[in-house]
Amino acid sequence: MNTTTEPRTYGGWRLARGMGFWGLGLAGTLLLMGAMVALMLVMAWSWQVAVSAALPIAVLTGLTVGRVDGVPISELLLRRLRWWRARHAGWHVYRAGVLVDHPRALDLPGPLAARELLEIEDGRGGTFGLVRDRRTGHLTAVLRVAAATPALVERDRADEWVAGWHQWLASLGFTDTIVWVAVTVTTRPASGTTLEDRVLSRLDPDAPASARRWLADLVAASPRACADVTTTVSITIDPARMAEPTSDLLEQTADLSRLLYGAETGLAACGVGFLGRASAAWIAGHLRSAYDPRAAGEVERALAADDPDGLLTWADAGPIAAEEAWDHYRHDTGTSVTYAWREAPRQRVTSDVLGYLLAPGRWPKRVSLLLRPLPASQATRVLEDQVQAASFRTRWRQQTGRDTTAREEQDADQATQAAREEAAGAGVVLASAYATVTVTDDAELAAATADLTARADHSRLRVRPLSGGQAAGFCTTLGIGVHPADLAARTWEQGGR
């Protein structure tokens, strides 16, 4: 996953990122410094041994410092090794058997295998869907919202929405149970099934034939003239962070439901209309449409039925077959490619900077912005560390006789400004963005990916494909509680994929 080495800001919202020596990050910095210290110790002990060890240490340093397209060579080699291991073990292929006698036969592929769908009472006479990670215990609720366009309001009103969004994110830092928030915008050409069902079923059989033909032609042409746009805000909590941790799932969901009330109220000031919490059937249908794009019309009909819960279940959400390749992910009737941003825009941006990337296009597309709010108690320490790191790099260049670049001076100024804004009440979040484009015809894959990268460039985002991690990227943009940073941390803890 890509990270930048410096914080970014828009108003009072700070994007904090990990820092390291020469932009290597913590692991690369420790490895490089360890190699240099080891070489000096060996030189003090024996010159002959030091000469023999110089070449391996030089190779190790080159692999750590050298980069290809902004990625350390060591990381690329490690990624290839893990990919080879996964393919050798057959982890990249998923097949749902027609008849499988197994209690977990209907689990979803990849990172979704450990997740289950629950239906919870909301305390207001209704229910909503909840995705639970059986491995970590994380609970994810999906809020359906309708975003208002800033193009139809005064500029001051749009600025108020941005300020409200900043305040909403800052408030999340005071809720220890929230581990991350995902804002997902899904666009696709409208299937036309909803319009067809509503119009053709209401035609008067005694109407003139010409009028019936005109309406039929209009309905047939509607998928080419409109698009479906769905916006969701997913909130993931860790019950282990509760003030009084409990293993009782009922108490955990009750605490989440109370937290959602406050989040839903705060969204009103962010320029979005709250439509309600997503039902279990809606979540299952959302996944089904993503894995099988050609089934989107059937999903719409099922959700419009009187009893959608009986038609759309967790067993219907996953694909019949899926296969991950190095640079794409094939699933049922679609093939998808997922991109991640390399870094946020370094210049100041306006509130509509992502408008072109989020706008509907010819192909189904999902864009997810992942936000990990730092607890207020940690925000100060993180920003102070960034200020000290920027100061260290400046002193190091001065002592080695190298001139400080304009970019480094700007980064140091921004780090100092970030600390001042946090002291004045600004929130601190770790941010990343992912985008997935899907085609139903492989011949259109090159054009679809070119369109996505062009849209990202227009939005001032530098993106790159998630090579070797397409399945994880695809699940990330579904907006149901998957975060690549969390998956990577678990990979290191388990010592494998």
Side-chain angles (χ1 to χ4, degrees), residues 30-60:
L30 294 178
L31 181 62
L32 180 59
M33 296 183 66
M36 296 173 64
V37 171
L39 181 60
M40 289 187 292
L41 293 176
V42 172
M43 291 176 60
W45 176 55
S46 171
W47 279 98
Q48 292 79 5
V49 177
V51 172
S52 302
L55 181 59
I57 292 178
V59 173
L60 178 62

Side-chain angles (χ1 to χ4, degrees), residues 138-203:
H138 290 172
L139 301 175
T140 301
V142 181
L143 307 181
R144 299 178 58 195
V145 299
T149 172
L152 301 179
V153 298
E154 297 292 338
R155 185 68 182 181
D156 293 342
R157 182 58 175 169
D159 292 340
E160 291 178 2
W161 289 346
V162 175
W165 178 248
H166 295 163
Q167 295 173 4
W168 189 79
L169 291 175
S171 67
L172 300 181
F174 296 94
T175 307
D176 294 336
T177 54
I178 295 180
V179 287
W180 63 76
V181 174
V183 182
T184 304
V185 178
T186 303
T187 61
R188 68 172 184 265
S191 62
T193 57
T194 302
L195 181 63
E196 180 180 357
D197 294 341
R198 293 184 178 181
V199 173
L200 298 185
S201 62
R202 291 171 172 79
L203 285 180

Side-chain angles (χ1 to χ4, degrees), residues 425-451:
V428 180
V429 298
L430 303 176
S432 56
Y434 299 84
T436 298
V437 62
T438 302
V439 299
T440 55
D441 184 358
D442 290 349
E444 299 180 347
L445 189 60
T449 55
D451 176 75

Side-chain angles (χ1 to χ4, degrees), residues 222-356:
S222 63
R224 305 183 184 91
C226 60
D228 288 335
V229 180
T230 304
T231 305
T232 61
V233 177
S234 306
I235 299 179
T236 301
I237 72 164
D238 184 1
R241 298 185 182 183
M242 296 171 56
E244 297 180 359
T246 176
S247 58
D248 188 347
L249 182 58
L250 183 60
E251 294 185 12
Q252 294 176 1
T253 56
D255 183 76
L256 172 60
S257 186
R258 288 191 296 268
L259 184 149
L260 292 178
Y261 286 130
E264 294 163 0
T265 304
L267 286 174
C270 302
V272 296
F274 177 63
L275 302 179
R277 302 175 189 177
S279 65
W282 189 94
I283 295 176
H286 173 64
L287 266 65
R288 182 59 183 165
S289 298
Y291 279 111
D292 189 0
R294 292 182 179 174
E298 299 177 7
V299 171
E300 290 180 1
R301 290 192 181 99
L303 290 176
D306 295 334
D307 183 20
D309 293 331
L311 300 175
L312 292 171
T313 65
W314 195 240
D316 304 312
I320 301 300
E323 182 173 351
E324 181 182 8
W326 178 256
D327 57 355
H328 66 270
Y329 184 53
R330 193 181 306 276
H331 46 87
D332 281 2
T333 60
T335 301
S336 299
V337 177
T338 301
Y339 287 78
W341 73 359
R342 297 181 58 178
E343 65 175 359
R346 300 188 64 88
Q347 65 273 36
R348 292 187 179 275
V349 296
T350 59
S351 58
D352 58 352
V353 63
L354 296 179
Y356 195 69

